[in-house]
Amino acid sequence: MKHFLVIITLSMTVVFGCKPEDAQIKKDVPKEEMERIFQEIKTPYKYGIVLQHPDSTKMVDSPTVFRENDRWYMTYIVFDGHGYETWIAESEDLLTWESKGKILSFTENTWDATQKAGYVSLVNINWGGDYSVEKYQNRYWMSYLGGNKAGYEAGTLKIGMATSSTLIESKEWTTNNSPLLSPEDDDVRWFENATIYKSLVIRDSSEHTGYPFVMYYNAKGDTADYESIAMAVSDDMQNWKRYGENPVITKGAGISGDAQIAKIGEIYVMFYFGAFWKPGAFERFACSYDLIHWKDWEGEDLVASSEPYDKQYAHKPWVIKWNGVVYHFYNAVGDSGRVIALATSEDLTD
């Protein structure tokens, strides 16, 4: 009898000693759920180019799409041969876009003098939601890739943060005077100690990591000469702590990068691009229940090269669902230079 009671007590300790969130989180998204998500997000119809620079020698890249005052806005970056600057465009229908001007420009004698590639933070991640941008501490926030060496993604790149009191005007955002994350930090990990690229910051209202703000970014190391997707976390958008010892997405070759997060029901979907671990550059996705453990899709690409304007690369996603239609914006490289193109779940070309 005594032995029996001890067994019961131990069993109860195991069950009730778990954190509730640990007991509820499913670490691996089932194959059938991955297939369901693919059917929901796939965009087999190429609409075409929606944004390009009037000067074909300049490259347009990295769309971030959001909604404000019943209109759509897209931040994007332009490479002019010297470095990256960040611009904003406006649209009524997600198809026709008009550039409004620059919001992050070159500066002098700063750590980010010649590279300011910005990505608006705290966009609503709910699939089919309002795609609004949250204000925090009465400011809008934008993480950006920064550096001070001229050229295409040249030198040691780091992550900075810009803020603004206005979201949709073509006014310069305020940049801080030091990077948030750098390959030169004391706590840098093996796969990110060479350079850091694009970042995405979301609010995690469930605080799966124990923090309200989560950043995904791609980086490469001096011994890991490939790009992987990493995580960092923050309580206040200004002080960031690296999360985990390893990448959350990596192929150990080529590039896995430029994450965007959407939440479809209880599943988080990470849109990202892959390159060079098979031919070309192409759009992929992974799924998670907790923003930490990711199940990679093993099926066909979401978007891949098929048209003259994306014959070289089809990559760097921003995907939304609006009025029943999925819009997949991506960076296309082909016979029209480097531009922003669109694929959709329905044929909108008629």
Side-chain angles (χ1 to χ4, degrees):
M1 189 68 168
K2 195 174 199 178
H3 183 60
F4 178 75
L5 286 174
V6 169
I7 292 174
I8 293 294
T9 303
L10 288 174
S11 176
M12 289 178 66
T13 301
V14 170
V15 172
F16 291 105
C18 293
K19 295 180 181 178
E21 60 270 26
D22 291 340
Q24 294 170 6
I25 288 171
K26 310 173 187 70
K27 293 292 194 262
D28 201 27
V29 180
K31 183 177 180 180
E32 58 270 21
E33 283 291 88
M34 298 291 293
E35 177 63 33
R36 182 183 67 82
I37 293 294
F38 174 72
Q39 295 300 325
E40 171 66 22
I41 64 179
K42 66 180 182 178
T43 51
Y45 301 99
K46 296 280 183 76
Y47 179 81
I49 298 169
V50 294
L51 188 68
Q52 60 189 128
H53 202 284
D55 181 350
S56 61
T57 66
K58 296 182 178 180
M59 303 179 184
V60 177
D61 215 334
S62 297
T64 301
V65 177
F66 56 92
R67 189 167 174 82
E68 178 78 5
N69 296 336
D70 298 323
R71 294 182 72 83
W72 293 99
Y73 295 88
M74 177 196 296
T75 58
Y76 61 98
I77 60 179
V78 174
F79 178 75
D80 67 352
H82 183 65
Y84 280 136
E85 295 179 295
T86 305
W87 293 61
I88 189 168
E90 183 177 3
S91 176
E92 291 185 356
D93 60 4
L94 291 166
L95 304 177
T96 302
W97 292 86
E98 179 182 357
S99 180
K100 293 170 62 68
K102 273 188 285 191
I103 56 176
L104 285 180
S105 302
F106 298 136
T107 49
E108 294 184 2
N109 303 318
T110 60
W111 72 269
D112 53 3
T114 54
Q115 308 286 347
K116 288 193 182 70
Y119 322 102
V120 174
S121 300
L122 306 182
V123 180
N124 188 330
I125 66 173
N126 290 326
W127 187 244
D130 63 11
Y131 298 103
S132 60
V133 179
E134 178 188 348
K135 257 187 172 181
Y136 175 68
Q137 295 181 341
N138 205 35
R139 306 283 288 177
Y140 295 105
W141 299 72
M142 181 191 304
S143 64
Y144 66 94
L145 170 159
N148 59 13
K149 187 173 182 179
Y152 184 75
E153 297 182 348
T156 300
L157 301 172
K158 307 169 185 179
I159 295 176
M161 184 68 78
T163 61
S164 176
S165 60
T166 180
L167 179 64
I168 59 177
E169 296 182 36
S170 56
K171 293 182 178 180
E172 288 289 323
W173 286 49
T174 301
T175 55
N176 64 5
N177 56 14
S178 60
L180 300 180
L181 293 174
S182 165
E184 300 162 351
D185 293 336
D186 291 339
D187 63 345
V188 73
R189 295 163 292 188
W190 59 275
F191 59 88
E192 59 173 355
N193 61 358
T195 199
I196 298 177
Y197 296 98
K198 183 181 176 181
S199 53
L200 169 82
V201 176
I202 65 169
R203 177 183 280 278
D204 173 20
S205 57
S206 298
E207 297 194 10
H208 292 294
T209 64
Y211 294 82
F213 303 112
V214 179
M215 178 191 294
Y216 295 94
Y217 60 96
N218 34 308
K220 68 180 179 181
D222 54 6
T223 57
D225 192 21
Y226 48 85
E227 287 183 49
S228 305
I229 300 175
M231 285 179 69
V233 292
S234 176
D235 279 322
D236 60 7
M237 291 292 290
Q238 299 177 70
N239 299 287
W240 290 85
K241 176 184 177 182
R242 288 170 165 85
Y243 190 91
E245 297 179 359
N246 295 300
V248 293
I249 297 287
T250 189
K251 295 295 182 181
I255 301 174
S256 299
D258 291 31
Q260 180 216 345
I261 304 295
K263 190 177 185 186
I264 304 178
E266 64 174 340
I267 296 177
Y268 297 95
V269 178
M270 178 190 290
F271 299 97
Y272 73 96
F273 85 91
F276 315 132
W277 39 270
K278 65 178 186 175
F282 35 84
E283 304 282 61
R284 306 292 298 173
F285 76 97
C287 292
S288 174
Y289 288 110
D290 62 3
L291 292 171
I292 302 165
H293 307 89
W294 292 90
K295 173 77 170 181
D296 218 359
W297 170 246
E298 297 179 352
E300 65 184 275
D301 298 327
L302 288 176
V303 173
S305 298
S306 65
E307 304 296 330
Y309 57 81
D310 66 9
K311 64 182 179 181
Q312 186 175 0
Y313 302 136
H315 63 337
K316 303 186 177 182
W318 196 272
V319 190
I320 66 172
K321 185 175 186 179
W322 186 253
N323 290 339
V325 178
V326 180
Y327 296 79
H328 187 139
F329 296 90
Y330 65 100
N331 178 236
V333 182
D335 63 4
S336 297
R338 187 176 287 260
V339 299
I340 304 299
L342 175 65
T344 58
S345 59
E346 297 180 10
D347 189 353
L348 303 180
T349 57
D350 296 336

